[in-house]
Every structure is written in C-alpha cells, then in structure tokens.
C-alpha cells in the first residue's frame, strides 16, 4: 500500500484545516486574474514580460551534472526570472492561515520556493512566475480571507490588533478597504497607489472564519481540546529534551 | 516638583471596546462623554496612523488613511492621529463613572471592557519634568503624546471655562 502522509494529528476542525493547508487540498473560493495579481504584487507592469536575471537555461549551456539532469528546473528558473517575494499577514482573530501553515503549504506543495516564517508575517521568495503561481494559489483558496489576511510587502503592523468595526484587519497604509460587501485593494503590497481597484472578493463571515481557521483559540477550538495533538506535542518536546541526554557519561 | 492630583482621589477609567472604533463612532462617544459633568481629562489611545509611508519602496508617499480625519468634540476640531482603540479618562467620582458606562452602552454597538484603575500618572515623572520643567500645571501631568511635540500643542482644552 502506498504511503500517505498524515501531516498533522488531531480530530478537531482546526487540526483538519491544518492538514488541508499542508497537503494543498484546499477549496478554491474566488478568482483573481493574473493582471490583478501582478498589479497588487507591484513587481512589474501587468501584461509586461518577466524581466530576467540570466538567459534561459537552455541557451546557457549548463555544465554536465547528474543532479541538474535529475532535477527538472521550475518554469521560473528555466526562463531565468528574477527572484521576487510575496508576503502575507494573517490576523490572530481566526484568520484562515498562519505564517507556519503558509510556509508548510509552500514548502510541501511548491518547488523552488524559499518561505520565511515570522511571528506576524510570512514571506516567500521565488523566481517571479513561480512566486506568482504560489501567491495566486494562496489568495484564491480558503487559505486566505481578504478581510482577515492581507498582502503586505512592507509595514505589516496589524495582525495582533483588535479588528476595526468593519472587520477588515487594521492596516496603517490603508491598502485594503471594504466597499459594499467586497474587499478591494487600491494600493500594491508596499503601499503604492495602483491604477484600478482590485476586487479580492467577499470576506468570510465570523462563523465561516471560525470554521476554516488553523488557529487554536480558547474562544473557538481550544488547543487543550485536541487530546491527540497534545499527546504528540508532548512526545515531540519529550524527545527533543532527552535525545542528547546520556546518563552513563 | 509640582503639585499632584493624587490628593483629590479622582477616579480613573478605561473604555476598551472589542473592536477598534471608526472615527465617526469615536466622535459620537467622545461627544457624549464630554457632555457629562465631572470629566476632568481624557485621552484616546490606539495604533498610530502615519501621514506618509514609513518603510519600503513607497517611503514618503502620502497614505490618506480614512481614520486620519478631523473630528469635532465639544465644538473643537481635533485631528485624530490614531485609530481609536481605547479611551482613558479621569472623572470626579464613581457617580460619573456610572454615567460614562451608560453612555458607552448607548453609543457602542460592540462589546466593551470598562474598568477602573490607574491609567494616567497622578504624580510628576522624570519625563514630565523633562518636557515641562518645574512648576508645570498638575492637570497636564501624563498628558503627553509620546511621538508628538509640545510646540504642536497635543493637549486640547475642551471647556476652558471649567478650568477656573
């Protein structure tokens, strides 16, 4: 029987969502066009060619190397794209994803990515078209709620603050706004105004966010409610503590 | 050191809503509170709203945050430099405290915490002394904007007649 990764222990909805994010088997809930994505990422003009940092690999004449022969380059590496980044911020108030699970999702399901995990933000560096593929995946699926998560290249402050009255995570650069019942982005991820308003779709309701979140919270699903997770966390901590301990010395 | 307000046994309160308040809600709440008799001083507290982008490739571009607006309280225009997260105040006695609680219940549509404690220094600190020197008005103790300048007059006197 083929091995199937289990990814994460636990029987609660949060554990199930964590497994979904890690395995990449997440539900697609909105559409964002390629041009809109390019516009809000702000690395190049929509519709323009990808600037390159070196000629395509096929023209470069690579040295003979068994590893290079074995590993198929990603489309971005093949074309010689620049390395560019996308950075997400997820609110602590039941945002669907968290920096750790965005990094797991990126590292497990995408090649040629360099995820960076911080307490309040998560950055992925990759060749431009590979990075765009990942950004599109994370923004179009249930990994992102446009109100509780946001694309923030710089000035990320807000993930741990109370939500404003309209439920859209505080952003001191005002990149996202709620207009009618949808969230629009009228600045790119670093705060430069863009030519048009990009519709990021409807925000999740409080109930839906609580259902889709990967965050354990005492006011939703408490960490201590998940006996299997607790057991495994204890086991990991136990092993980490004793693995170098040799009493006979 | 200048006189203190500690002998007066004034009550200090904090209103802490579960959501950050829109400027309109903050204005309504502050208007209702300032209409009450017995409010000595108060300040609003929350995440600061920059005028220009402070970091990254867009540094220096104007932000134009909708929270960064001018509100009118007790007939005076006040420029909000923060997104209102909490309001801390000093009132004369516990009767006023209950009136403030009632106002909050009427104005705020979100749940809020309402507590009594020590939120504004009652005695001059080294920072106050450095900012205002000896013989400063005891009413101004602790009423500073950490990032503001005294020359910009960060403290508004809403009802000058009551100062007598």
């Amino acid at each position: 029987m083929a091995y199937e990764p289990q990814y994460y222990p636990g029987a609660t909805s949060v554990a199930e969502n964590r497994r979904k994010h890690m395995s990449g088997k997440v539900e697609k809930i909105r559409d964002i066009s390629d041009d809109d994505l390019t516009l809000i990422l702000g690395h190049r003009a929509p519709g323009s060619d990808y600037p390159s940092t070196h000629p395509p690999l096929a023209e470069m004449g690579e040295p003979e190397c068994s590893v290079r022969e074995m590993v198929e380059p990603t489309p971005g590496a093949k074309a010689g794209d620049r390395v560019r980044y996308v950075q997400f911020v997820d609110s602590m108030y039941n945002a669907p994803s968290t920096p750790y699970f965005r990094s797991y999702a990126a590292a497990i399901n995408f090649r040629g990515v360099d995820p960076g995990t911080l307490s309040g933000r998560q950055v992925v560096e990759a060749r431009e078209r590979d990075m765009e593929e990942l950004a599109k995946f994370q923004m179009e699926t249930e990994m992102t709620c446009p109100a509780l998560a946001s694309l923030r290249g710089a000035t990320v402050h807000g993930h741990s603050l109370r939500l404003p009255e309209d439920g859209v995570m505080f952003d001191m650069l005002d990149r996202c706004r709620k207009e009618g019942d949808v969230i629009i982005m009228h600045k790119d991820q670093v705060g430069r105004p863009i030519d048009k308003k990009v519709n990021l779709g409807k925000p999740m309701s409080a109930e839906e966010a609580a259902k889709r979140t990967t965050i354990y919270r005492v006011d939703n699903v408490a960490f201590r409610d998940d006996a299997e997770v607790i057991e495994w966390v204890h086991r990991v901590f136990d092993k980490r503590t004793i693995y170098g301990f040799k009493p006979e010395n | 050191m200048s006189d203190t307000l500690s002998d007066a046994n004034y009550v200090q309160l904090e209103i802490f809503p579960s959501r950050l308040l829109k400027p309109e809600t903050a204005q309504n709440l502050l208007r209702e509170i300032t209409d009450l008799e017995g409010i000595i001083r108060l300040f609003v507290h929350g995440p600061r709203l920059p005028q220009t982008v402070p970091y990254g490739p867009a540094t220096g571009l104007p932000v134009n945050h909708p929270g960064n607006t001018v509100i009118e309280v007790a007939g005076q225009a006040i420029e909000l430099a923060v997104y209102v997260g909490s309001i801390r105040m000093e009132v004369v006695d516990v009767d006023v405290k209950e009136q403030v609680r009632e106002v909050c219940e009427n104005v705020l549509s979100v749940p809020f915490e309402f507590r009594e404690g020590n939120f504004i220094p009652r005695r001059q600190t080294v920072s106050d002394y450095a900012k205002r020197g000896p013989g400063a008005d005891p009413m101004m103790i602790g009423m500073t904007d950490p990032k503001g300048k005294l020359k910009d007059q960060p403290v508004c006197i809403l009802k000058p007649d009551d100062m007598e």
Side-chain angles (χ1 to χ4, degrees), chain A residues 177-189:
Chain A
R177 277 185 192 174
K178 191 171 184 186
E179 282 194 1
D181 59 350
V182 295
I183 305 291
I184 58 108
M185 200 160 170
H186 63 119
K187 293 181 182 176
D188 69 9
Q189 64 169 342

Side-chain angles (χ1 to χ4, degrees), chain A residues 23-42:
Chain A
S23 64
K25 289 174 187 158
V26 279
E27 190 186 337
K28 183 176 168 179
I29 49 181
R30 62 185 77 86
D31 278 303
I32 293 171
S33 72
D34 290 346
D35 280 356
D36 282 355
L37 181 75
T38 312
L39 205 56
I40 55 178
L41 286 170

